């Protein structure tokens, strides 16, 4: 009925290789103000086991890096907490002491499940030049299976650092006399 064309937009589609592990990450903010004393940031990192068997020794690494890929010093960004309870069968990740912004450990996942690691930290005032960024880089690796698609074993989440100004409206009356 009619010779029309319908175009549909598809967003947020994830194509992956079945039968492997993968990692994906997000943050609660994409932008921080460089003039704020502290800027709390939360990274949620999802590790997925798409295999039909349980994996008990998934190597997990996360680093908070500057935009050049160097480990960010804890005087600039300090991890304050890490939880790895959602979905995991085991975890050797640290949960209380973070001497650097480098996290390593092992996690376990049941077959065809996912787990979420939440890392929270603070970016400190003017630690990086304005208009730069820092990033959370998460990597998973496993030797229990042959992972046919290594391209989805690393995920990077970037947070931009900007100068934030308080906007004023010059047409509004001023009541300071």
């Amino acid at each position: 009925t009619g010779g029309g064309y319908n175009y549909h937009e598809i967003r947020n589609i994830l194509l992956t290789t079945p039968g492997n592990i993968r990692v994906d990450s997000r943050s609660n903010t994409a932008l921080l103000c460089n003039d704020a004393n502290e800027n709390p940031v939360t990274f949620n990192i999802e590790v997925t086991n798409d295999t039909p068997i349980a994996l008990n020794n998934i190597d997990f690494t996360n680093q908070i890096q500057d935009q050049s890929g160097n480990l960010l010093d804890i005087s600039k960004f300090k991890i304050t907490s890490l939880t790895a309870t959602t979905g995991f069968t085991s975890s050797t990740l640290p949960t209380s002491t973070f001497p650097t912004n480098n996290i390593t450990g092992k996690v376990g996942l049941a077959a065809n499940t996912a787990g979420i690691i939440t890392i929270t930290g603070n970016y400190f005032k003017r630690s990086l030049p304005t208009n730069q960024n820092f990033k959370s880089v998460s990597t998973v690796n496993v030797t229990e299976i042959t992972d046919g698609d290594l391209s989805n074993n690393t995920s990077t989440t970037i947070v931009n650092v900007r100068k934030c100004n308080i906007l004023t409206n010059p047409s509004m009356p001023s009541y300071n006399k």
Side-chain angles (χ1 to χ4, degrees):
T1 65
Y5 291 96
N6 292 320
Y7 294 99
H8 299 282
E9 182 176 339
I10 299 173
R11 292 186 183 194
N12 300 328
I13 188 167
L14 176 65
L15 299 175
T16 186
T17 307
N20 72 356
I21 62 168
R22 69 175 182 268
V23 64
D24 187 34
S25 65
R26 295 172 184 82
S27 72
N28 65 333
T29 184
L31 175 72
L32 294 178
C33 293
N34 211 12
D35 291 325
N37 286 332
E38 288 186 10
N39 287 288
V41 180
T42 300
F43 296 100
N44 290 310
I45 302 138
E46 182 178 46
V47 180
T48 303
N49 174 8
D50 271 337
T51 70
I53 62 170
L55 298 175
N56 298 313
N57 290 303
I58 301 169
D59 294 317
F60 175 84
T61 302
N62 177 276
Q63 288 190 340
I64 306 299
Q65 302 175 351
D66 64 17
Q67 67 184 23
S68 299
N70 302 309
L71 187 66
L72 207 56
D73 187 83
I74 59 172
S75 65
K76 298 176 181 183
F77 183 93
K78 173 80 171 127
I79 296 173
T80 56
S81 71
L82 182 146
T83 57
T85 55
T86 306
F88 293 103
T89 58
S90 63
S91 171
T92 64
L93 296 173
T95 57
S96 61
T97 304
F98 309 100
T100 69
N101 286 317
N102 184 34
I103 303 291
T104 60
K106 291 187 181 290
V107 294
L109 282 170
N112 297 308
T113 62
I116 296 176
I117 298 166
T118 302
I119 297 174
T120 303
N122 281 313
Y123 169 78
F124 298 107
K125 182 176 183 175
R126 296 187 188 123
S127 295
L128 294 173
T130 297
N131 297 327
Q132 287 199 8
N133 62 58
F134 64 95
K135 55 192 172 184
S136 167
V137 180
S138 301
T139 304
V140 293
N141 192 17
V142 67
T143 57
E144 296 171 281
I145 61 165
T146 301
D147 190 349
D149 184 5
L150 300 178
S151 67
N152 57 11
N153 288 12
T154 299
S155 182
T156 302
T157 301
I158 296 173
V159 177
N160 294 295
V161 177
R162 299 289 185 252
K163 180 178 175 84
C164 298
N165 295 324
I166 298 173
L167 299 176
T168 60
N169 186 344
S171 65
M172 295 294 290
S174 174
Y175 294 104
N176 296 334
K177 294 185 180 186

